């Protein structure tokens, strides 16, 4: 991911990549050719986003002690990863489709690519929230963990006196 960021930061600068001055509204910029702006950084940026999603799921897995990991957890995280990557793909693909055709589709008040970002990206994190909320006692802090922690606190309290 670091290499991709370095590549993106050092990519060739596109003419008017940051936009040009709007003819009517002062202080507003008009974007240039969208496909041209993505010529050097599109694929690396898409790859970086996918790797970031992968990293989030892997860090969630690493936050669970190995002795509590089971097949159900691995399958759940795999499905979450696939769902999140599918949303990421749809967002990027919708934007590229617009850039190629110039036709804007709409979903619930937003252009399709923006709708994927507004609704899909946060929705794809919901399974991880459910995993933490519903699976808390199973994967994060079980009753036996709590008893062990209480014993440790009692032992520490008795040593202080």
């Amino acid at each position: 991911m670091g290499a991709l960021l370095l590549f993106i930061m050092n990519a060739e600068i596109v003419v008017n990549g940051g936009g040009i001055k709007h003819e009517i509204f002062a202080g507003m910029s008009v974007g240039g050719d969208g496909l041209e702006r993505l010529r050097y950084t599109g694929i690396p940026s898409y790859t970086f986003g996918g790797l970031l999603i992968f990293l989030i799921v892997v860090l969630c897995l690493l936050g669970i002690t190995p002795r509590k990991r089971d097949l159900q957890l691995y399958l759940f995280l795999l499905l979450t990863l696939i769902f999140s990557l599918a949303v990421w793909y749809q967002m990027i693909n919708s934007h590229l489709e617009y850039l190629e055709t110039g036709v804007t589709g709409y979903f619930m008040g937003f252009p399709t690519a923006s709708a994927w970002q507004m609704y899909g990206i946060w929705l794809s994190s919901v399974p991880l929230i459910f995993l933490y909320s519903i699976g808390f006692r199973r994967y994060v802090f079980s009753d036996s963990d709590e008893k062990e922690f209480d014993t440790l606190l009692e032992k520490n309290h008795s040593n202080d006196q």
Side-chain angles (χ1 to χ4, degrees), residues 3 5 14 24 38 45 49 79-80 83 93 101 116 120 132 142-144 146 159-160:
L5 280 178
V14 177
I24 299 171
L38 293 175
S45 298
L79 291 174
T80 299
F83 176 62
N93 193 49
T101 64
W116 276 109
Y132 187 78
S142 67
D143 292 332
S144 64
E146 188 172 7
N159 287 342
D160 286 343

Side-chain angles (χ1 to χ4, degrees), residues 3 9 11-12 26 36 45 48 71-73 92 124 127 138 143:
M9 289 188 304
E12 192 170 324
E36 181 63 23
S45 298
F48 180 84
L71 182 61
Q72 186 177 357
L73 174 69
I92 299 298
S124 65
R138 180 174 180 176
D143 292 332

